[in-house]
Amino acid sequence: MDRLRVAVPNKGRLMEPSERLLADAGLSFERSARALTVPVRNVPIDLLFVRTEDVVEMVADGVAGAGITGFDLVAESGAEIPVVAELGFGRCRLTAAVANSSPITSLEGLTGTRVATAHPAITRRLLAERGIEATVVALRGSVEVAPRLDVADAIVDLVSSGSTMLVNGLRPLATLLESQAVLVASPGTDDRVAQVATMLRAVTAARTRRYLMLNAPGDAVDRIAGLIPGLRAPSVVPLAHNGDVAVHSVVDTDDLWHLLPELEAAGATGILVLPIEQVVG
Ligand code: AMP
């Protein structure tokens, strides 16, 4: 059978999490530093290791059937390639900012100014959509120093924690675009890409969830079920004696902080929290 090519970042901040995601989805491969393509041992897929910014091109041209890259790069390219899965890592925001000393206090204040960015196409479009006419100065890197060098009055750049802007004496005005790593597919792709998308979505969905098991007296079940509704409803299994039950459910990891004490107060004992590898449906 024909092997599907999947383009994957070969360096930079999306490389390691992309490889981990593919491995967690059950793909068995051995990355070697120099190889451009790496065969997956247990699935008819070849991984094509390229620069993060080249993934869109590879997929748009059909050189690869699918690829992992940042949504900001897909938006910047303007390529008509569908996003088939959001992957939950590489989260960042395309943010407009000015120097702390600037008199500009809102996005509208950028009208008539020079805005430096490594994302010129999307910046032009997002500013124009808001009725803001600015001169976009396209830079390849070091965007954050542009106001200090008087190359621009403002910048539009990717931010995750915001600390780089802070360190460079910049004040954020507004977020123009939210981004994360995505799986993109070449137009007219086949079932094999849908299969990869399902596998990667299954891992991504599992990462933010935990499997919860606990014991409880039978008369506490309604209260406990109300706290942990699960994917549909919790499973309630009778224990061998005492009229006690075991309750199993899936919860969002972020909810554990408040859930565990609430469950304990509701009469739960022997609470176990387990990782989940994949969630489908
Ligand atoms: P790279 O330049 O190869 O390290 O990857 C850049 C990509 O990583 C960007 O296109 C974004 O999709 C993503 N990313 C996530 N957080 C950030 C950030 N704080 N700064 C720049 N890129 C980020």
Short mmCIF file of all heavy atoms in Angstrom, two decimals, residues 9-15 50-53 69-74 89-93 119 157-162 164 179-182, ligand 1:
data_model
loop_
_atom_site.label_atom_id
_atom_site.label_comp_id
_atom_site.label_asym_id
_atom_site.label_seq_id
_atom_site.Cartn_x
_atom_site.Cartn_y
_atom_site.Cartn_z
N PRO A 9 7.87 19.21 12.18
CA PRO A 9 8.97 20.16 12.41
C PRO A 9 10.27 19.43 12.80
O PRO A 9 10.24 18.55 13.66
CB PRO A 9 8.47 21.02 13.58
CG PRO A 9 6.98 20.94 13.50
CD PRO A 9 6.69 19.55 13.00
N ASN A 10 11.38 19.83 12.19
CA ASN A 10 12.66 19.17 12.49
C ASN A 10 13.52 19.96 13.46
O ASN A 10 14.61 19.55 13.81
CB ASN A 10 13.46 18.90 11.19
CG ASN A 10 13.95 20.19 10.55
OD1 ASN A 10 13.56 21.28 10.97
ND2 ASN A 10 14.79 20.07 9.54
N LYS A 11 13.06 21.15 13.86
CA LYS A 11 13.75 21.91 14.90
C LYS A 11 12.78 22.93 15.47
O LYS A 11 11.62 22.99 15.04
CB LYS A 11 15.02 22.58 14.37
CG LYS A 11 14.82 23.46 13.13
CD LYS A 11 16.05 24.29 12.86
CE LYS A 11 17.03 23.58 11.97
NZ LYS A 11 17.27 24.20 10.68
N GLY A 12 13.24 23.67 16.47
CA GLY A 12 12.41 24.72 17.05
C GLY A 12 11.48 24.18 18.12
O GLY A 12 11.51 23.00 18.47
N ARG A 13 10.59 25.06 18.58
CA ARG A 13 9.82 24.72 19.77
C ARG A 13 8.71 23.71 19.54
O ARG A 13 8.19 23.14 20.49
CB ARG A 13 9.28 25.98 20.44
CG ARG A 13 8.31 26.78 19.60
CD ARG A 13 7.83 27.97 20.38
NE ARG A 13 8.77 29.08 20.33
CZ ARG A 13 8.99 29.92 21.34
NH1 ARG A 13 8.38 29.76 22.47
NH2 ARG A 13 9.83 30.91 21.19
N LEU A 14 8.32 23.49 18.27
CA LEU A 14 7.26 22.50 18.02
C LEU A 14 7.81 21.09 17.76
O LEU A 14 7.05 20.13 17.70
CB LEU A 14 6.38 22.93 16.84
CG LEU A 14 5.66 24.27 17.00
CD1 LEU A 14 4.72 24.50 15.82
CD2 LEU A 14 4.89 24.36 18.30
N MET A 15 9.15 20.98 17.61
CA MET A 15 9.73 19.67 17.24
C MET A 15 9.48 18.60 18.30
O MET A 15 8.88 17.56 18.02
CB MET A 15 11.23 19.82 17.00
CG MET A 15 11.89 18.49 16.68
SD MET A 15 13.69 18.59 16.59
CE MET A 15 14.11 18.46 18.31
N VAL A 50 10.92 18.58 8.33
CA VAL A 50 11.23 19.84 7.64
C VAL A 50 11.08 21.01 8.62
O VAL A 50 10.58 20.84 9.73
CB VAL A 50 10.31 20.07 6.42
CG1 VAL A 50 10.52 19.00 5.37
CG2 VAL A 50 8.84 20.12 6.83
N ARG A 51 11.49 22.19 8.21
CA ARG A 51 11.34 23.37 9.08
C ARG A 51 9.86 23.65 9.32
O ARG A 51 9.04 23.49 8.41
CB ARG A 51 12.00 24.59 8.44
CG ARG A 51 13.53 24.55 8.47
CD ARG A 51 14.08 25.37 7.33
NE ARG A 51 13.51 26.71 7.34
CZ ARG A 51 14.13 27.80 7.78
NH1 ARG A 51 15.36 27.72 8.23
NH2 ARG A 51 13.54 28.97 7.76
N THR A 52 9.55 24.13 10.53
CA THR A 52 8.14 24.38 10.91
C THR A 52 7.44 25.24 9.85
O THR A 52 6.30 24.98 9.48
CB THR A 52 8.09 25.10 12.27
OG1 THR A 52 8.88 24.35 13.20
CG2 THR A 52 6.68 25.21 12.79
N GLU A 53 8.17 26.28 9.34
CA GLU A 53 7.54 27.20 8.40
C GLU A 53 7.41 26.61 6.99
O GLU A 53 6.73 27.17 6.15
CB GLU A 53 8.25 28.56 8.37
CG GLU A 53 9.73 28.51 8.12
CD GLU A 53 10.55 28.42 9.40
OE1 GLU A 53 10.19 27.62 10.29
OE2 GLU A 53 11.57 29.13 9.50
N THR A 69 2.06 21.88 12.25
CA THR A 69 2.70 23.21 12.29
C THR A 69 1.87 24.14 13.17
O THR A 69 0.86 23.72 13.73
CB THR A 69 2.88 23.77 10.86
OG1 THR A 69 3.70 24.95 10.93
CG2 THR A 69 1.56 24.12 10.21
N GLY A 70 2.32 25.40 13.28
CA GLY A 70 1.56 26.36 14.09
C GLY A 70 0.42 26.96 13.27
O GLY A 70 0.59 27.24 12.08
N PHE A 71 -0.73 27.16 13.92
CA PHE A 71 -1.87 27.74 13.22
C PHE A 71 -1.53 29.13 12.66
O PHE A 71 -1.99 29.52 11.59
CB PHE A 71 -3.10 27.81 14.13
CG PHE A 71 -4.28 28.44 13.45
CD1 PHE A 71 -4.94 27.78 12.43
CD2 PHE A 71 -4.70 29.72 13.80
CE1 PHE A 71 -6.01 28.37 11.77
CE2 PHE A 71 -5.77 30.32 13.14
CZ PHE A 71 -6.43 29.65 12.14
N ASP A 72 -0.69 29.89 13.40
CA ASP A 72 -0.31 31.23 12.93
C ASP A 72 0.36 31.17 11.56
O ASP A 72 0.16 32.04 10.72
CB ASP A 72 0.64 31.91 13.95
CG ASP A 72 1.88 31.06 14.22
OD1 ASP A 72 1.75 29.97 14.78
OD2 ASP A 72 2.98 31.49 13.82
N LEU A 73 1.14 30.10 11.33
CA LEU A 73 1.84 29.97 10.04
C LEU A 73 0.88 29.59 8.93
O LEU A 73 1.06 29.99 7.78
CB LEU A 73 2.97 28.94 10.17
CG LEU A 73 4.07 29.33 11.17
CD1 LEU A 73 5.05 28.18 11.38
CD2 LEU A 73 4.81 30.58 10.69
N VAL A 74 -0.14 28.81 9.27
CA VAL A 74 -1.18 28.45 8.29
C VAL A 74 -1.93 29.73 7.89
O VAL A 74 -2.13 30.02 6.70
CB VAL A 74 -2.18 27.42 8.86
CG1 VAL A 74 -3.20 27.03 7.81
CG2 VAL A 74 -1.44 26.18 9.39
N PHE A 89 -0.76 21.97 22.02
CA PHE A 89 0.54 22.49 22.47
C PHE A 89 0.94 23.64 21.54
O PHE A 89 0.23 23.93 20.58
CB PHE A 89 1.61 21.39 22.54
CG PHE A 89 1.90 20.71 21.23
CD1 PHE A 89 2.86 21.22 20.35
CD2 PHE A 89 1.23 19.56 20.87
CE1 PHE A 89 3.14 20.59 19.15
CE2 PHE A 89 1.50 18.92 19.66
CZ PHE A 89 2.45 19.44 18.80
N GLY A 90 2.07 24.28 21.85
CA GLY A 90 2.51 25.43 21.03
C GLY A 90 1.51 26.57 21.09
O GLY A 90 1.38 27.35 20.15
N ARG A 91 0.81 26.68 22.23
CA ARG A 91 -0.19 27.74 22.35
C ARG A 91 0.49 29.10 22.46
O ARG A 91 1.44 29.27 23.23
CB ARG A 91 -1.06 27.52 23.60
CG ARG A 91 -2.05 26.40 23.47
CD ARG A 91 -2.93 26.34 24.71
NE ARG A 91 -3.72 25.14 24.70
CZ ARG A 91 -4.85 24.98 24.04
NH1 ARG A 91 -5.34 25.98 23.32
NH2 ARG A 91 -5.51 23.84 24.09
N CYS A 92 0.00 30.07 21.70
CA CYS A 92 0.52 31.42 21.77
C CYS A 92 -0.50 32.38 21.17
O CYS A 92 -1.52 31.93 20.63
CB CYS A 92 1.86 31.54 21.03
SG CYS A 92 1.80 30.97 19.32
N ARG A 93 -0.24 33.67 21.34
CA ARG A 93 -1.16 34.69 20.81
C ARG A 93 -0.38 35.67 19.95
O ARG A 93 0.75 36.03 20.30
CB ARG A 93 -1.81 35.46 21.98
CG ARG A 93 -2.41 34.60 23.04
CD ARG A 93 -3.00 35.42 24.19
NE ARG A 93 -2.02 36.27 24.88
CZ ARG A 93 -1.19 35.86 25.83
NH1 ARG A 93 -1.19 34.59 26.20
NH2 ARG A 93 -0.35 36.69 26.41
N HIS A 119 4.83 38.41 10.76
CA HIS A 119 3.59 37.88 10.18
C HIS A 119 2.89 38.98 9.37
O HIS A 119 1.78 39.42 9.73
CB HIS A 119 2.65 37.40 11.30
CG HIS A 119 3.14 36.20 12.05
ND1 HIS A 119 4.17 36.24 12.95
CD2 HIS A 119 2.71 34.91 12.05
CE1 HIS A 119 4.37 35.04 13.45
NE2 HIS A 119 3.51 34.21 12.93
N ASP A 157 3.49 40.47 17.37
CA ASP A 157 4.39 39.33 17.52
C ASP A 157 3.73 38.23 18.36
O ASP A 157 2.74 38.49 19.06
CB ASP A 157 5.69 39.80 18.21
CG ASP A 157 6.86 38.86 17.93
OD1 ASP A 157 6.72 37.96 17.08
OD2 ASP A 157 7.90 39.05 18.58
N LEU A 158 4.33 37.03 18.28
CA LEU A 158 3.80 35.91 19.05
C LEU A 158 4.23 36.01 20.50
O LEU A 158 5.38 36.34 20.79
CB LEU A 158 4.30 34.58 18.47
CG LEU A 158 3.79 34.23 17.09
CD1 LEU A 158 4.45 32.97 16.59
CD2 LEU A 158 2.26 34.07 17.11
N VAL A 159 3.31 35.73 21.38
CA VAL A 159 3.54 35.81 22.82
C VAL A 159 2.98 34.54 23.45
O VAL A 159 1.88 34.13 23.10
CB VAL A 159 2.74 36.99 23.42
CG1 VAL A 159 2.94 37.08 24.91
CG2 VAL A 159 3.08 38.29 22.75
N SER A 160 3.72 33.94 24.37
CA SER A 160 3.05 32.89 25.16
C SER A 160 2.89 33.36 26.59
O SER A 160 1.79 33.64 27.04
CB SER A 160 3.72 31.52 25.02
OG SER A 160 5.10 31.63 24.92
N SER A 161 4.00 33.52 27.35
CA SER A 161 3.83 33.98 28.73
C SER A 161 3.73 35.50 28.78
O SER A 161 3.16 36.06 29.71
CB SER A 161 5.00 33.52 29.58
OG SER A 161 6.16 34.23 29.18
N GLY A 162 4.32 36.18 27.82
CA GLY A 162 4.33 37.65 27.84
C GLY A 162 5.62 38.19 28.43
O GLY A 162 5.85 39.40 28.44
N THR A 164 8.77 37.97 27.36
CA THR A 164 9.70 38.59 26.41
C THR A 164 9.30 40.05 26.15
O THR A 164 10.15 40.94 26.11
CB THR A 164 9.71 37.81 25.07
OG1 THR A 164 9.94 36.44 25.36
CG2 THR A 164 10.77 38.31 24.12
N SER A 179 -3.25 31.03 18.64
CA SER A 179 -2.64 29.95 17.87
C SER A 179 -2.27 28.77 18.75
O SER A 179 -2.07 28.92 19.96
CB SER A 179 -1.38 30.48 17.16
OG SER A 179 -0.76 29.46 16.41
N GLN A 180 -2.21 27.60 18.15
CA GLN A 180 -1.65 26.41 18.77
C GLN A 180 -1.18 25.51 17.63
O GLN A 180 -1.45 25.79 16.46
CB GLN A 180 -2.71 25.68 19.62
CG GLN A 180 -3.90 25.18 18.85
CD GLN A 180 -4.89 24.42 19.74
OE1 GLN A 180 -4.56 23.38 20.27
NE2 GLN A 180 -6.10 24.94 19.88
N ALA A 181 -0.49 24.43 17.96
CA ALA A 181 -0.07 23.49 16.92
C ALA A 181 -1.31 22.78 16.37
O ALA A 181 -2.24 22.48 17.10
CB ALA A 181 0.89 22.46 17.50
N VAL A 182 -1.30 22.56 15.06
CA VAL A 182 -2.46 21.93 14.39
C VAL A 182 -1.96 20.87 13.40
O VAL A 182 -0.81 20.91 12.97
CB VAL A 182 -3.32 22.96 13.63
CG1 VAL A 182 -4.02 23.91 14.59
CG2 VAL A 182 -2.49 23.76 12.62
P1 AMP B 1 10.05 27.81 15.84
O1 AMP B 1 10.37 29.15 15.29
O2 AMP B 1 10.40 26.67 14.93
O3 AMP B 1 10.57 27.59 17.25
O4 AMP B 1 8.45 27.69 15.98
C1 AMP B 1 7.66 28.82 15.92
C2 AMP B 1 6.24 28.41 16.12
O5 AMP B 1 6.05 28.01 17.46
C3 AMP B 1 5.32 29.58 15.90
O6 AMP B 1 4.94 29.69 14.55
C4 AMP B 1 4.17 29.28 16.81
O7 AMP B 1 3.22 28.46 16.13
C5 AMP B 1 4.79 28.47 17.94
N1 AMP B 1 4.97 29.24 19.18
C6 AMP B 1 4.43 28.94 20.37
N2 AMP B 1 4.75 29.84 21.30
C7 AMP B 1 5.52 30.76 20.72
C8 AMP B 1 6.19 31.94 21.16
N3 AMP B 1 6.11 32.37 22.42
N4 AMP B 1 6.94 32.62 20.28
C9 AMP B 1 7.09 32.19 19.01
N5 AMP B 1 6.48 31.08 18.53
C10 AMP B 1 5.69 30.37 19.37
#
